[in-house]
Amino acid sequence: MGLRKIIRKGDISLKKKSRTVTEFNARLHILLNDMLETLKDADGVGLAAPQVGVLRRAVIVADISGEEPKYIELVNPEIVAEEGEQIGPEGCLSLPNIWGVVTRPEKVTVKAQDRYGEPFTLEAEELLARACCHEIDHLNGVLFDELADRFLSEEEIREMTEGEAE
Ligand code: CO
């Protein structure tokens, strides 16, 4: 296990399309273990393999709707259905200190595989749905700032983070 370096916007890897995972081997498990450690260390709600410089279709999203965050590994994830709309602030560990207002579906159905290649379906709503969309975009070389309707001002960011601390 180990922390990996999160690459920042400007690195060409973030603009590339990631490849399908075909081997569910020890190398994948080490990658996912490291990604989980890196995500927890950064206190984020999602991390995609290309953000640690690995162009493979693997992401981790955090479900923070309960008391403890629940981390979900999604290998080769695909959104197969979406419903409704949510408009809200979104950030990214690769774009520190930038927040944008992004419109996303309120609910999504994601088909993915686990780290052993076993297929499963995830029904996600609210923040988890947003995280799924955001992380799957990373696998296609898309960053949230390209989708933002506008960016939050420093004051708005301050208000938002103060609100979280309460
Ligand atoms: Co991101």
Side-chain angles (χ1 to χ4, degrees), residues 55-75:
L55 292 174
R56 287 289 174 181
R57 302 187 81 80
V59 311
I60 300 178
V61 289
D63 181 357
I64 56 165
S65 60
E67 248 175 61
E68 289 286 314
K70 192 176 144 231
Y71 296 92
I72 306 163
E73 297 173 350
L74 303 170
V75 179

Side-chain angles (χ1 to χ4, degrees), residues 5 31 35 37 80 82-83 93 101 111 132 140 146:
K5 187 174 184 271
L31 170 68
M35 283 173 61
E37 198 177 324
V80 293
E82 49 182 71
E83 200 187 310
L93 295 173
V101 176
K111 279 201 169 149
C132 288
N140 297 319
E146 298 163 45

Side-chain angles (χ1 to χ4, degrees), residues 7-98:
I7 61 177
R8 300 276 173 92
K9 185 183 158 89
D11 188 308
I12 190 75
S13 294
L14 290 175
K15 299 304 299 166
K16 290 187 175 167
K17 196 170 153 71
S18 292
R19 294 182 299 274
T20 302
V21 173
T22 53
E23 303 213 37
F24 297 83
N25 54 16
R27 197 169 164 179
L28 174 70
H29 297 174
I30 291 167
L31 170 68
L32 289 166
N33 292 346
D34 287 356
M35 283 173 61
L36 178 61
E37 198 177 324
T38 307
L39 177 60
K40 285 180 174 171
D41 180 69
D43 200 19
V45 292
L47 186 69
Q51 289 181 279
V52 294
V54 179
L55 292 174
R56 287 289 174 181
R57 302 187 81 80
V59 311
I60 300 178
V61 289
D63 181 357
I64 56 165
S65 60
E67 248 175 61
E68 289 286 314
K70 192 176 144 231
Y71 296 92
I72 306 163
E73 297 173 350
L74 303 170
V75 179
N76 299 325
E78 223 182 303
I79 293 171
V80 293
E82 49 182 71
E83 200 187 310
E85 191 179 271
Q86 56 173 316
I87 299 170
E90 196 166 311
C92 179
L93 295 173
S94 295
L95 285 79
N97 308 317
I98 298 173

Side-chain angles (χ1 to χ4, degrees), residues 89-116:
E90 196 166 311
C92 179
L93 295 173
S94 295
L95 285 79
N97 308 317
I98 298 173
W99 289 82
V101 176
V102 183
T103 305
R104 298 288 191 184
E106 177 63 19
K107 288 183 187 177
V108 292
T109 305
V110 180
K111 279 201 169 149
Q113 285 164 283
D114 69 11
R115 58 166 61 200
Y116 305 102

